[in-house]
Amino acid sequence: GQNIDQPTEMTATEGAIVQINCTYQTSGFNGLFWYQQHAGEAPTFLSYNVLDGLEEKGRFSSFLSRSKGYSYLLLKELQMKDSASYLCAVMDSNYQLIWGAGTKLIIKP
Amino acid sequence: IAGITQAPTSQILAAGRRMTLRCTQDMRHNAMYWYRQDLGLGLRLIHYSNTAGTTGKGEVPDGYSVSRANTDDFPLTLASAVPSQTSVYFCASSARVTDTDTQYFGPGTRLTVL
């Protein structure tokens, strides 16, 4: 079966760095996505990786290792507004997104 | 309007009633999707449409139907609602089925079936 695993909840301090991990087993691979979802709102796109390595976008970076079925989202200089759920999703061989349950990130002052 | 709109924002529905959730996009995207989101679970695909006039079943299609008469609209119908269909429903779109760029999401419909 297809499976995406990520931690349920993480806590970090304002100004710090946090790494959210995602491991996956899917039927085929056409890229891995990270989305941010604030409570009561829609998911919004953060990043996309299809090749191994690190993609950097401002305070956010995403890493992919296809051989290990592993990705992480790195958030630097955490701000209170980064408190949200972070969703990992893999596009399978049918170009459908398989979603993890999300990681709720709590930022403390 | 810009992006994707959904209606209603929320709804309380008696079991057994019929309900249509509306979704409209103005981005001229070919592909559209319906997901449900339940606590502790990832987004699950209900139905999708690669282009106007075609639809397909996702992971959890039972009890739901869709139509795609034109590019902009993709309504989701619950023929006879049951309490297990209580969920948050998101409509999404992308430029193409094989577009690995991004899916854009509507604001969601919170449905409670009693």
Coordinates of all heavy atoms in Angstrom, one line a residue, chain A residues 30 33 35 37 40-43 45 48 87 91 94-97 99-101, chain B residues 35 37 40-43 45 48 90 97-103 105-106 110:
Chain A
N30 N 6.5 11.0 -8.6 CA 6.5 12.1 -9.6 C 6.7 13.4 -8.8 O 6.3 14.5 -9.2 CB 5.3 12.2 -10.4 CG 5.4 11.2 -11.6 OD1 6.3 11.3 -12.4 ND2 4.4 10.3 -11.7
F33 N 5.7 17.2 -2.4 CA 5.3 18.5 -2.1 C 5.2 18.7 -0.6 O 4.9 17.8 0.2 CB 3.8 18.7 -2.7 CG 3.8 18.7 -4.2 CD1 3.8 17.4 -4.8 CD2 3.6 19.8 -4.9 CE1 3.7 17.4 -6.2 CE2 3.5 19.8 -6.3 CZ 3.6 18.6 -6.9
Y35 N 3.1 21.4 1.9 CA 2.0 22.5 2.0 C 2.0 22.9 3.5 O 2.2 22.2 4.4 CB 0.7 21.9 1.6 CG 0.4 21.9 0.1 CD1 1.0 20.9 -0.7 CD2 -0.4 22.8 -0.5 CE1 0.7 20.9 -2.1 CE2 -0.7 22.8 -1.9 CZ -0.1 21.8 -2.6 OH -0.3 21.8 -4.0
Q37 N -0.7 24.6 6.3 CA -2.2 24.8 6.5 C -2.4 25.4 7.9 O -2.2 24.7 8.9 CB -2.9 23.5 6.4 CG -4.4 23.6 6.5 CD -5.2 22.3 6.3 OE1 -4.6 21.2 6.6 NE2 -6.4 22.4 5.9
G40 N -8.2 26.0 10.3 CA -9.4 26.5 9.7 C -9.2 27.1 8.3 O -10.2 27.6 7.8
E41 N -8.1 26.9 7.7 CA -7.8 27.4 6.4 C -7.5 26.3 5.4 O -7.3 25.2 5.7 CB -6.7 28.5 6.4 CG -7.1 29.7 7.3 CD -6.0 30.8 7.3 OE1 -5.1 30.7 6.5 OE2 -6.2 31.7 8.1
A42 N -7.3 26.7 4.1 CA -6.9 25.8 3.1 C -5.4 25.5 3.1 O -4.7 26.4 3.5 CB -7.4 26.3 1.7
P43 N -5.0 24.4 2.6 CA -3.5 24.2 2.4 C -3.0 25.1 1.3 O -3.7 25.4 0.3 CB -3.4 22.7 1.9 CG -4.7 22.1 2.3 CD -5.7 23.2 2.3
F45 N 0.6 26.0 -1.0 CA 1.9 25.3 -1.5 C 3.1 26.0 -0.9 O 3.2 27.2 -0.9 CB 1.9 25.5 -3.0 CG 3.2 25.1 -3.7 CD1 3.5 23.7 -3.8 CD2 4.0 26.0 -4.2 CE1 4.7 23.4 -4.4 CE2 5.2 25.7 -4.8 CZ 5.6 24.3 -4.9
Y48 N 8.4 22.0 -3.8 CA 8.3 20.9 -4.6 C 9.7 20.3 -4.8 O 10.6 21.1 -5.2 CB 7.6 21.2 -5.9 CG 7.7 20.1 -7.0 CD1 7.0 18.9 -6.8 CD2 8.4 20.3 -8.1 CE1 7.0 17.9 -7.8 CE2 8.5 19.3 -9.1 CZ 7.8 18.1 -8.9 OH 7.8 17.1 -9.9
L87 N 2.0 19.7 5.7 CA 1.5 18.5 5.0 C 2.6 18.1 4.0 O 3.0 18.9 3.2 CB 0.2 18.8 4.4 CG -0.9 19.5 5.2 CD1 -2.2 19.6 4.3 CD2 -1.2 18.8 6.5
M91 N 3.4 12.7 -5.2 CA 2.6 12.5 -6.4 C 3.0 11.1 -7.0 O 4.2 10.8 -7.3 CB 2.9 13.5 -7.5 CG 2.1 13.4 -8.7 SD 2.0 14.9 -9.7 CE 0.8 15.9 -8.8
N94 N 0.2 7.7 -11.0 CA -1.0 8.2 -11.7 C -1.2 9.7 -11.6 O -2.3 10.2 -11.9 CB -2.2 7.5 -11.1 CG -2.2 6.0 -11.3 OD1 -1.9 5.6 -12.5 ND2 -2.5 5.2 -10.3
Y95 N -0.2 10.4 -11.1 CA -0.2 11.8 -10.9 C -1.3 12.2 -9.9 O -1.9 13.3 -10.0 CB -0.4 12.6 -12.3 CG 0.8 12.4 -13.2 CD1 0.8 11.4 -14.1 CD2 1.9 13.2 -13.0 CE1 2.0 11.3 -14.9 CE2 3.0 13.1 -13.8 CZ 3.0 12.1 -14.8 OH 4.1 11.9 -15.6
Q96 N -1.5 11.4 -8.9 CA -2.4 11.7 -7.8 C -1.6 11.9 -6.6 O -0.6 11.2 -6.4 CB -3.4 10.6 -7.6 CG -4.5 10.5 -8.7 CD -5.6 9.5 -8.4 OE1 -5.6 8.9 -7.4 NE2 -6.5 9.4 -9.3
L97 N -2.0 12.9 -5.8 CA -1.2 13.2 -4.6 C -1.7 12.3 -3.4 O -2.9 12.1 -3.2 CB -1.5 14.7 -4.2 CG -0.7 15.7 -5.0 CD1 -1.1 17.1 -4.5 CD2 0.8 15.5 -4.8
W99 N -1.3 12.0 0.6 CA -1.0 12.9 1.6 C -0.7 12.3 3.0 O -1.3 11.3 3.3 CB -2.2 13.8 1.8 CG -2.6 14.7 0.7 CD1 -3.3 14.3 -0.4 CD2 -2.2 16.0 0.5 NE1 -3.4 15.4 -1.3 CE2 -2.7 16.4 -0.8 CE3 -1.5 17.0 1.2 CZ2 -2.5 17.7 -1.3 CZ3 -1.3 18.3 0.7 CH2 -1.8 18.6 -0.5
G100 N 0.3 12.8 3.7 CA 0.5 12.5 5.1 C -0.6 13.2 5.9 O -1.3 14.1 5.4
A101 N -0.7 12.8 7.2 CA -1.7 13.3 8.1 C -1.3 14.7 8.6 O -2.2 15.4 9.1 CB -1.9 12.4 9.3
Chain B
Y35 N -11.3 16.7 -2.2 CA -10.7 15.9 -1.1 C -11.6 16.1 0.1 O -12.4 17.1 0.3 CB -9.4 16.6 -0.7 CG -8.3 16.4 -1.7 CD1 -8.0 17.4 -2.6 CD2 -7.5 15.3 -1.7 CE1 -6.9 17.3 -3.5 CE2 -6.4 15.1 -2.6 CZ -6.2 16.1 -3.5 OH -5.1 16.0 -4.4
Q37 N -11.0 16.0 4.4 CA -10.0 16.1 5.5 C -10.6 15.8 6.8 O -11.4 16.5 7.3 CB -9.3 17.4 5.5 CG -8.0 17.5 6.4 CD -7.3 18.8 6.3 OE1 -7.9 19.9 6.3 NE2 -6.0 18.7 6.3
G40 N -6.6 13.7 12.1 CA -5.7 12.5 12.2 C -5.4 11.8 10.9 O -4.6 10.8 10.9
L41 N -6.1 12.2 9.9 CA -5.9 11.5 8.6 C -5.4 12.6 7.6 O -5.7 13.8 7.7 CB -7.2 10.9 8.1 CG -7.8 9.8 8.9 CD1 -9.1 9.4 8.3 CD2 -6.8 8.6 9.1
G42 N -4.7 12.1 6.6 CA -4.3 13.0 5.5 C -5.5 13.3 4.6 O -6.5 12.7 4.7
L43 N -5.3 14.3 3.7 CA -6.3 14.6 2.7 C -6.6 13.3 1.9 O -5.6 12.7 1.5 CB -5.9 15.7 1.8 CG -5.9 17.1 2.5 CD1 -5.0 18.0 1.7 CD2 -7.3 17.7 2.5
L45 N -8.5 11.8 -1.5 CA -9.1 12.1 -2.8 C -10.4 11.4 -3.0 O -10.5 10.2 -2.9 CB -8.2 11.8 -3.9 CG -8.6 12.2 -5.3 CD1 -8.7 13.7 -5.5 CD2 -7.7 11.6 -6.4
Y48 N -12.0 13.1 -9.1 CA -11.2 14.1 -9.8 C -11.7 14.2 -11.2 O -12.5 13.4 -11.7 CB -9.7 13.7 -9.8 CG -9.4 12.4 -10.5 CD1 -9.0 12.4 -11.9 CD2 -9.5 11.2 -9.9 CE1 -8.8 11.3 -12.5 CE2 -9.2 10.0 -10.5 CZ -8.9 10.1 -11.9 OH -8.6 8.9 -12.5
F90 N -12.5 19.9 0.7 CA -11.7 20.9 -0.1 C -11.8 20.6 -1.6 O -11.6 19.4 -2.0 CB -10.2 20.9 0.3 CG -10.0 21.5 1.7 CD1 -9.8 20.8 2.8 CD2 -10.0 22.9 1.8 CE1 -9.5 21.3 4.0 CE2 -9.7 23.5 3.0 CZ -9.5 22.7 4.1
V97 N -3.3 17.6 -15.5 CA -3.2 16.4 -14.7 C -1.7 16.1 -14.4 O -1.4 15.7 -13.3 CB -3.8 15.2 -15.4 CG1 -3.5 13.9 -14.7 CG2 -5.3 15.4 -15.6
T98 N -0.9 16.3 -15.4 CA 0.5 16.0 -15.2 C 1.3 17.2 -14.8 O 2.5 17.2 -14.8 CB 1.2 15.4 -16.5 OG1 0.9 16.4 -17.5 CG2 0.5 14.1 -16.9
D99 N 0.6 18.2 -14.3 CA 1.3 19.4 -13.8 C 1.8 19.1 -12.4 O 1.1 19.0 -11.5 CB 0.3 20.5 -13.8 CG 0.9 21.8 -13.3 OD1 2.1 21.9 -13.0 OD2 0.2 22.8 -13.3
T100 N 3.1 19.0 -12.4 CA 3.7 18.7 -11.1 C 4.1 20.0 -10.3 O 5.0 20.0 -9.5 CB 4.9 17.8 -11.2 OG1 5.8 18.4 -12.2 CG2 4.5 16.4 -11.7
D101 N 3.5 21.1 -10.7 CA 3.8 22.4 -10.1 C 3.1 22.5 -8.8 O 3.6 22.4 -7.7 CB 3.5 23.5 -11.0 CG 4.0 24.8 -10.5 OD1 4.7 24.8 -9.4 OD2 3.7 25.9 -11.0
T102 N 1.8 22.6 -8.8 CA 1.0 22.8 -7.6 C -0.5 22.6 -7.8 O -0.9 22.8 -8.9 CB 1.3 24.2 -7.0 OG1 0.7 24.2 -5.7 CG2 0.6 25.2 -7.9
Q103 N -1.1 22.2 -6.7 CA -2.6 22.2 -6.7 C -3.0 23.4 -5.8 O -2.4 23.6 -4.8 CB -3.2 20.9 -6.1 CG -3.0 19.7 -7.1 CD -3.7 18.5 -6.5 OE1 -4.4 18.5 -5.6 NE2 -3.4 17.3 -7.2
F105 N -6.0 25.3 -3.6 CA -7.1 24.8 -2.9 C -8.1 25.9 -2.6 O -7.8 27.1 -2.4 CB -6.7 24.3 -1.5 CG -6.1 22.9 -1.6 CD1 -4.8 22.7 -2.0 CD2 -6.8 21.8 -1.3 CE1 -4.2 21.4 -2.1 CE2 -6.3 20.5 -1.3 CZ -5.0 20.3 -1.8
G106 N -9.4 25.5 -2.6 CA -10.5 26.5 -2.2 C -10.5 26.5 -0.7 O -9.8 25.8 0.0
R110 N -17.3 23.0 5.6 CA -17.4 22.2 6.8 C -18.8 21.6 6.9 O -19.7 22.3 7.0 CB -17.0 23.0 8.0 CG -15.6 23.3 8.1 CD -15.2 24.6 8.8 NE -13.8 24.8 8.7 CZ -13.1 25.3 7.6 NH1 -13.8 25.5 6.5 NH2 -11.8 25.5 7.7

